Amino acid sequence: MLLPLQVQLPDGGWAYVISIIIVSLQVSLTAVGLSTLFSLPIALLIGFTEFPGKRIATAVINTGMGFPSVVVGLVVLLMLSNSGPLGVLELAFTPEAMIASQFVLATPVIMSVSLSAVESVEQSVRDAAFAMGGTDIDVGLVVIKEARYGITTAILAGFGRAISEVGSILIVGGNIVFSDGQSYTRTLTTAITVEARQGRYEVGLVLGAILLALVLSVNWLGSSIRSRGRGERST
């Protein structure tokens, strides 16, 4: 018979775990929100216009989805370090640096999937919007409405990439915890790494279960949205 798992939490107890969850969600949600505001207009612009090098631009965006996270973290740290061009901001080893790193990682994902969703909207929909006297902005809003499920999936995919990231945020955030056990830049993924190195596997399993629950929830939400979109198109 299996014995129940005995979890010996570090100093701070469940408050420590909750602070890690809060930092993880704050950093990831902020990065994904900023990335969405940046990525969606560019996806619309590329999807609406024809220009020399469009295929190259699309290929570069798709290639960005495979950026090595540790390289991104290193570049962001070099930019924000005291000797870097943005060192005056003093953002190295802060949550803001982690947001910047996750922004870079999430942006190609959101932009690429959003671009695919925008380009999948039939030309007849755009032509109808123009024929009714719509401006470019009006047509853009119509396309966004038609592609909303794909765009939502893009945002959720970006969140999944951000929340599960470990390499880059470990480099730029420093995995810092205050003396009272409250997290400053420690997230679920970096905490799992620390707990495993220190031999507290049961704590790592608890944190891993929480992270897995978050990722599965996001995937379930994305699947539900896609299914709903297919259902509406078939009616």
Side-chain angles (χ1 to χ4, degrees):
M1 185 176 69
L2 295 177
L3 296 176
L5 182 64
Q6 299 295 321
V7 179
Q8 184 67 37
L9 294 176
D11 295 341
W14 283 107
Y16 163 77
V17 175
I18 292 173
S19 70
I20 290 173
I21 297 173
I22 291 174
V23 170
S24 299
L25 291 175
Q26 285 179 338
V27 169
S28 296
L29 289 174
T30 303
V32 170
L34 294 174
S35 178
T36 300
L37 294 176
F38 175 79
S39 301
L40 189 53
I42 295 178
L44 287 170
L45 180 62
I46 295 176
F48 270 120
T49 58
E50 294 294 334
F51 56 90
K54 179 176 179 177
R55 290 186 178 180
I56 296 176
T58 302
V60 170
I61 294 172
N62 293 334
T63 302
M65 297 175 66
F67 278 161
S69 61
V70 291
V71 175
V72 171
L74 180 60
V75 171
V76 172
L77 182 60
L78 290 174
M79 295 288 290
L80 299 178
S81 64
N82 292 333
S83 58
L86 300 178
V88 67
L89 299 177
E90 298 182 350
L91 294 179
F93 306 117
T94 64
E96 288 76 14
M98 297 161 64
I99 290 171
S101 179
Q102 289 195 359
F103 172 88
V104 175
L105 292 171
T107 292
V109 177
I110 297 175
M111 193 179 297
S112 178
V113 180
S114 295
L115 178 58
S116 297
V118 169
E119 291 181 333
S120 68
V121 177
E122 297 180 359
Q123 184 63 39
S124 59
V125 174
R126 308 181 190 185
D127 294 339
F130 276 121
M132 295 176 65
T135 63
D136 289 340
I137 295 178
D138 296 327
V139 176
L141 293 176
V142 170
V143 171
I144 290 176
K145 182 179 180 181
E146 290 295 317
R148 62 189 182 278
Y149 295 112
I151 293 173
T152 303
T153 300
I155 296 171
L156 294 175
F159 176 77
R161 175 74 192 269
I163 195 70
S164 60
E165 176 51 38
V166 56
S168 65
I169 57 175
L170 188 61
I171 293 174
V172 302
N175 204 27
I176 300 171
V177 177
F178 292 128
S179 58
D180 60 356
Q182 299 298 296
S183 170
Y184 179 56
T185 60
R186 179 170 294 181
T187 64
L188 285 167
T189 52
T190 58
I192 291 171
T193 302
V194 169
E195 301 302 335
R197 287 177 178 175
Q198 295 180 356
R200 294 198 291 259
Y201 301 113
E202 68 282 356
V203 179
L205 287 173
V206 171
L207 297 174
I210 295 172
L211 177 61
L212 183 61
L214 289 173
V215 173
L216 288 176
S217 298
V218 169
N219 289 334
W220 174 83
L221 182 59
S223 298
S224 300
I225 291 173
R226 286 191 295 269
S227 298
R228 182 179 175 183
R230 295 191 194 102
E232 288 190 359
R233 292 190 183 96
S234 62
T235 57

